[in-house]
Amino acid sequence: MMKKRILIIDDEASVRDFMKKILTRSGYTIFTASDGREALEMLENLYVDLIILDMNMPNMNGFKLLGEIKKDDKLKHLPVLMVTAEARKEDIVAAAQGGAAGYIVKPFTKATLEEKVNLIIQKLG
């Protein structure tokens, strides 16, 4: 079985590195982008199974990128796990309405990240 491929999009290098380390150890192939524009460029030529997306980023925030992903015929099937530093109810509702597969709140633990990612990946079959 091929390793599942995940794109992590977060403007904080320390957060990207933390997630990459955990998910690489869990057996996933990881790609990273530091903002929405970079991510969209990567997604033109990169196949991934899951996107982990920070809500608050410069250039293009997570909600805008989520919208771009969901309106693109090549990408709209991709599950997107939103990551936020603020657990505001309206953000969580907006993420769900925008088509996000789930969300986690920073700071999160290794166990929370693995659990959320594994659940989404299992649903892919």
Side-chain angles (χ1 to χ4, degrees):
M1 191 172 122
M2 213 172 102
K3 278 167 83 165
K4 295 293 185 194
R5 298 158 61 97
I6 299 172
L7 175 60
I8 297 169
I9 309 157
D10 197 305
D11 57 321
E12 291 180 55
S14 59
V15 176
R16 284 196 310 272
D17 293 346
F18 173 71
M19 289 194 275
K20 181 175 183 173
K21 192 180 293 177
I22 291 167
L23 295 173
T24 300
R25 283 191 191 137
S26 294
Y28 297 106
T29 300
I30 306 299
F31 303 90
T32 62
S34 58
D35 67 39
R37 287 195 194 134
E38 183 187 351
L40 277 178
E41 283 176 26
M42 288 175 73
L43 287 166
E44 285 176 24
N45 304 303
L46 179 70
Y47 172 81
V48 295
D49 298 288
L50 170 66
I51 294 171
I52 300 177
L53 177 56
D54 184 26
M55 283 187 193
N56 301 312
M57 295 183 293
N59 301 328
M60 182 188 290
N61 72 26
F63 289 113
K64 181 148 177 38
L65 180 56
L66 180 63
E68 294 292 320
I69 290 166
K70 292 303 175 185
K71 73 181 188 197
D72 185 317
D73 286 339
K74 291 195 326 268
L75 304 174
K76 65 184 180 191
H77 69 283
L78 287 171
V80 178
L81 177 61
M82 300 294 282
V83 178
T84 180
E86 301 150 49
R88 293 201 316 242
K89 192 168 197 261
E90 59 267 30
D91 286 347
I92 291 158
V93 169
Q97 287 173 338
Y103 70 92
I104 46 179
V105 179
K106 292 177 186 175
F108 49 85
T109 63
K110 173 181 178 290
T112 300
L113 179 64
E114 288 173 328
E115 183 185 336
K116 287 280 188 183
V117 168
N118 291 336
L119 273 172
I120 294 170
I121 293 290
Q122 280 167 6
K123 286 181 189 166
L124 295 175

